[in-house]
Amino acid sequence: SFSNSNKTFISFKMKRLWSRRIAVNVFDLGVVTFMSFFDIGIDQISLAALIISLGMLVDNGIVMSESIMVQMAKGKKAIDAAVDSANELKVPLLTSSLTTAAAFLPIFLAESTTGEYTASLFKVVTITLLCSWILSMTIVPMLCVYFMKVQQQEQSFTTPFYNGYRKVLSALLSYRWSTVIVTVAILSMAIMGLKYVPKLFFPPSDRAYFKLDLELPVGTRIEATELVAKKVEGYIQQELLVSDQADDGQQKGVTSWVTYLGSGGPRFLLTHSPKASSSNYALMVINVTSFEVIDEVMAKLEQYTFDNFPDLLVKARKIENGSPIANPVEVRLSGNNVDELFVIVDKIKLKLSAIQGLKSINDNWGLPIKKLQVKINQTRARRAGVSSKDIAISLQTGLAGLELTQYREGDTVIPVMMRSSAADRQDIGKLEALAVYSQASGTAVPLKQVADIEVVWESARILRRDRLKTVTIGAQIDNSITASEAFAQLRPWLEEEKVNWPFGYRYEFGGEAESSGKANQSIADKLPIAIFIIVLLLVAQFNSIRKSIIILTTIPLGLIGVVVGLLVGQSFFGFMTLLGIISLAGIVINNAIVLLERIKIEMASQLTTPIDAIIAACQKRLRPILLTTATTVFGLVPLYLGGGEMWEPMA
């Protein structure tokens, strides 16, 4: 049994919990409804955006409820305090929500694969913040009126904490130029400290499987590729596979795998870009017991293939988080002469092999293969009455076949081919005796009479970029180095070597340097649009260019905390770190808007000096700003603990 007072208290608590649950359900329903309307699915990016927004969405509610509580403590009725607070904060909170959303706009507008990959961040954050603003103007005041009980008293700023804060603030305002100089100096030190932060555009995924590319010389028959793949599978079966009957429950290794012969398989992930069909290529997707054993398993497979298949190019790669990159470290070398080109290529390969942490060094022209080179002796050919065209047609007829006509049966067109028998086509020794038919005289002579046949080693393919022969030299990396560190070692050496290259030869970086450069540039190109929208919102809010400039000037100061956080947390600077800085800019603007709006009210309502108004406004806005900052920080804790390497630097 309960007393009447206990029953009343329990009823009050249950009503408050139920009302909070209603507010949360209304918010969730609104966000999910709008996400469905804009065709935004639940994926890694949108879920992360919801987690990011989790800390931001309560900001509006905290500021609103704190304002209502302060006005009720001054003696206002709950309904009057709610209405007055809503009228006072509706425009500032809307402006702060829109400016925070506008900070994410360049990600949505970025014209790159990375921008497309992360576009849902802007959509989800914008939907979440606008839904939060609507709730803070409706549900939050209603719940405050119904549940908030505040004793009538003036807000006290005489506590030791506020006294110390007021002294610090007064000192900073008294020595304002010294404060500015010291702040700029600290910011400069932070910018210089960025060079000590490792650069990693997108870390690999923490999925418990990886890819193994097997590439033989161009022209290898698929039967030979299958034989190599089966030997690798046999090694996995015997040495790396985890046995179900193992006594040791801690055994780690391969659990299963799938092999695709002649192709890169289906696009089982957005970040997987399958290679075109080729008889000399195979892809293995290997599942392991945990992400931690991937490096060990990859090292064993690389060592086995290196010892047993000297002409096999092996690339063991973890699953990418960002846009797929064939090689994290790439150098593209362009020129006219193949021989001179490969002299420089060999030097670059030697330099790459000397950089600790690089492996699987290769070029996209492939391993050299044997070719039959037919050198026509024009003197003997004219004497025999055959032309170069006659020799070319005879070679095509004898080796590949010549299409004479087409046979049509219904809607099916069947080519009619003329070629020699299979036994003759596969016997290179009979090539010298191939009959070359002269279309002018109608006679035939053996190929040996008009041409010399040589077996030469040449590149498997010749690739061009901007009409210049271009070789792409690539390398994989291990955990001991990042791509940016490898490029930092390679760039000075290339600049020195370039002086000795023949005229017309040049290089450019590909791989992660190019991918990150394009992604960052695509965002930077759209950044002026976001800045313009933010300035418009601020000018509309304050009707002042000067106040807008003050707010924008505070944004770079966030880099101080960014650099300290990355160095202390031993994290890296990547694309997600950049997104974190952008969202941080939105939060800085949000806090500045709330503070400047309060300063404006203090100056309008009381006959005080600007410095007194600043101190009074800072004291009154300290609690909500600290609370909103704390909720944002704690909202990012799940990303730090469970987001993996991809989301950790953002948190």
Side-chain angles (χ1 to χ4, degrees):
S1 62
F2 297 94
S3 64
N4 289 333
S5 60
N6 284 335
K7 289 180 181 179
T8 303
F9 174 75
I10 292 172
S11 174
F12 170 75
K13 293 289 287 185
M14 292 300 292
K15 285 181 180 179
R16 186 167 70 173
L17 291 173
W18 181 250
S19 299
R20 285 182 177 177
R21 187 61 186 166
I22 290 174
V24 172
N25 286 339
V26 169
F27 173 79
D28 292 340
L29 181 62
V31 172
V32 173
T33 301
F34 280 106
M35 287 178 63
S36 175
F37 179 77
F38 289 106
D39 295 327
I40 304 172
I42 300 296
D43 51 37
Q44 186 183 33
I45 301 298
S46 60
L47 279 175
L50 285 172
I51 295 175
I52 294 169
S53 304
L54 181 64
M56 299 180 183
L57 64 91
V58 296
D59 291 2
N60 292 333
I62 288 176
V63 174
M64 177 62 68
S65 59
E66 197 269 346
S67 177
I68 294 173
M69 183 181 69
V70 170
Q71 295 196 34
M72 289 175 64
K74 291 181 178 179
K76 280 190 179 181
K77 293 182 179 179
I79 185 68
D80 295 333
V83 172
D84 292 344
S85 296
N87 286 329
E88 176 187 330
L89 294 173
K90 61 183 179 182
V91 176
L93 291 184
L94 176 61
T95 304
S96 64
S97 298
L98 291 177
T99 52
T100 304
F104 287 88
L105 183 60
I107 303 170
F108 175 71
L109 298 177
E111 298 176 358
S112 64
T113 54
T114 305
E116 181 182 359
Y117 178 61
T118 56
S120 58
L121 269 172
F122 166 75
K123 301 177 186 177
V124 175
V125 169
T126 302
I127 292 171
T128 305
L129 292 178
L130 291 180
C131 288
S132 169
W133 177 77
I134 293 173
L135 286 178
S136 68
M137 292 294 109
T138 54
I139 303 296
V140 171
M142 183 269 290
L143 294 178
C144 289
V145 170
Y146 191 59
F147 293 120
M148 188 178 288
K149 309 298 180 184
V150 181
Q151 295 181 355
Q152 183 174 344
Q153 60 180 7
E154 286 292 330
Q155 188 175 4
S156 175
F157 298 116
T158 59
T159 61
F161 174 77
Y162 277 106
N163 289 335
Y165 173 65
R166 190 163 49 250
K167 289 179 180 178
V168 172
L169 194 58
S170 299
L172 294 177
L173 291 172
S174 299
Y175 301 98
R176 59 182 72 102
W177 287 113
S178 300
T179 302
V180 171
I181 293 172
V182 171
T183 304
V184 172
I186 296 175
L187 176 61
S188 302
M189 293 173 60
I191 294 174
M192 293 173 60
L194 271 177
K195 64 181 180 181
Y196 299 106
V197 179
K199 310 297 188 299
L200 182 60
F201 185 55
F202 267 117
S205 171
D206 57 357
R207 292 180 172 90
Y209 57 92
F210 65 95
K211 296 185 291 187
L212 187 71
D213 292 314
L214 306 175
E215 188 173 351
L216 288 160
V218 175
T220 303
R221 298 173 63 185
I222 196 167
E223 291 83 3
T225 306
E226 182 181 11
L227 180 62
V228 172
K230 284 185 176 180
K231 290 182 179 180
V232 176
E233 289 178 339
Y235 173 75
I236 296 174
Q237 180 79 32
Q238 294 176 6
E239 302 293 336
L240 303 178
L241 189 65
V242 175
S243 175
D244 296 335
Q245 290 80 28
D247 297 332
D248 184 6
Q250 300 297 321
Q251 186 176 1
K252 300 177 182 180
V254 177
T255 57
S256 61
W257 70 88
V258 61
T259 303
Y260 300 100
L261 285 173
S263 71
R267 193 169 191 179
F268 55 88
L269 280 175
L270 177 64
T271 57
H272 173 61
S273 182
K275 279 191 174 183
S277 298
S278 177
S279 62
N280 66 312
Y281 175 76
L283 171 69
M284 300 180 69
V285 182
I286 302 174
N287 295 310
V288 293
T289 52
S290 65
F291 173 74
E292 288 74 18
V293 303
I294 289 181
D295 291 326
E296 180 183 351
V297 173
M298 287 197 308
K300 291 180 178 179
L301 284 171
E302 288 173 342
Q303 188 62 46
Y304 169 76
T305 53
F306 180 81
D307 294 339
N308 293 273
F309 308 104
D311 59 345
L312 177 65
L313 175 63
V314 176
K315 293 182 183 178
R317 297 183 291 168
K318 296 178 182 178
I319 302 300
E320 301 95 345
N321 263 325
S323 55
I325 302 173
N327 298 291
V329 178
E330 277 188 353
V331 181
R332 283 195 291 267
L333 185 67
S334 300
N336 293 316
N337 186 278
V338 174
D339 295 332
E340 292 181 349
L341 201 61
F342 269 88
V343 170
I344 303 174
V345 167
D346 292 338
K347 291 181 180 179
I348 295 176
K349 286 183 176 180
L350 286 174
K351 178 60 179 178
L352 289 174
S353 62
I355 297 177
Q356 191 70 26
L358 298 186
K359 60 182 182 179
S360 301
I361 299 168
N362 63 93
D363 65 77
N364 63 341
W365 283 30
L367 296 173
I369 60 174
K370 287 189 292 186
K371 288 185 179 180
L372 288 173
Q373 195 173 72
V374 180
K375 294 184 177 181
I376 302 174
N377 189 313
Q378 296 294 343
T379 303
R380 288 184 289 173
R382 285 194 296 269
R383 189 182 301 124
V386 296
S387 63
S388 298
K389 181 180 179 181
D390 295 335
I391 298 174
I393 293 175
S394 298
L395 284 170
Q396 182 181 359
T397 304
L399 298 178
L402 182 67
E403 182 177 334
L404 299 178
T405 185
Q406 292 178 338
Y407 172 74
R408 185 181 297 274
E409 185 174 333
D411 59 350
T412 304
V413 177
I414 303 172
V416 178
M417 305 291 294
M418 179 179 69
R419 61 186 180 187
S420 58
S421 61
D424 292 340
R425 295 198 306 273
Q426 296 174 3
D427 188 354
I428 301 300
K430 296 182 179 180
L431 185 61
E432 293 181 346
L434 178 70
V436 177
Y437 178 76
S438 173
Q439 298 183 21
S441 62
T443 59
V445 297
L447 179 62
K448 179 67 174 176
Q449 182 176 333
V450 296
D452 298 320
I453 302 173
E454 295 179 0
V455 178
V456 296
W457 288 90
E458 288 187 354
S459 300
R461 58 175 74 93
I462 296 176
L463 302 176
R464 288 176 172 82
R465 187 181 182 91
D466 297 334
R467 298 191 299 173
L468 284 175
K469 295 183 179 71
T470 303
V471 183
T472 301
I473 308 103
Q476 300 292 311
I477 59 176
D478 58 23
N479 291 333
S480 65
I481 194 174
T482 63
S484 62
E485 292 172 347
F487 283 121
Q489 297 184 46
L490 191 59
R491 184 178 284 106
W493 180 85
L494 284 172
E495 289 297 324
E496 292 179 3
E497 289 290 318
K498 188 173 68 171
V499 179
N500 302 321
W501 293 350
F503 177 77
Y505 289 76
R506 68 171 189 266
Y507 80 92
E508 60 183 5
F509 287 134
E512 189 174 299
E514 181 181 46
S515 178
S516 61
K518 287 182 177 179
N520 294 335
Q521 188 61 41
S522 65
I523 293 178
D525 290 341
K526 306 300 180 181
L527 202 57
I529 299 176
I531 295 175
F532 179 70
I533 293 175
I534 291 173
V535 171
L536 281 182
L537 291 170
L538 294 177
V539 171
Q541 167 68 32
F542 296 109
N543 194 25
S544 170
I545 294 291
R546 184 169 58 180
K547 290 182 179 179
S548 303
I549 294 174
I550 290 173
I551 293 176
L552 294 176
T553 306
T554 61
I555 295 176
L557 301 181
L559 285 175
I560 299 172
V562 169
V563 176
V564 173
L566 293 176
L567 291 175
V568 173
Q570 296 183 348
S571 190
F572 57 88
F573 194 99
F575 185 75
M576 289 303 164
T577 318
L578 180 63
L579 297 190
I581 294 175
I582 292 174
S583 59
L584 178 63
I587 296 171
V588 170
I589 294 173
N590 188 349
N591 292 337
I593 289 174
V594 173
L595 178 60
L596 286 182
E597 186 66 23
R598 188 66 219 181
I599 294 174
K600 176 183 176 182
I601 294 174
E602 291 291 331
M603 293 184 67
S605 61
Q606 300 178 13
L607 297 175
T608 59
T609 63
I611 290 183
D612 292 336
I614 290 172
I615 294 176
C618 287
Q619 290 181 138
K620 292 180 180 179
R621 284 291 177 247
L622 177 62
R623 181 169 59 185
I625 287 178
L626 284 180
L627 285 175
T628 55
T629 303
T631 55
T632 304
V633 170
F634 286 117
L636 290 171
V637 169
L639 276 183
Y640 178 77
L641 297 178
E645 281 189 292
M646 180 175 179
W647 298 101
E648 179 186 314
M650 169 182 279

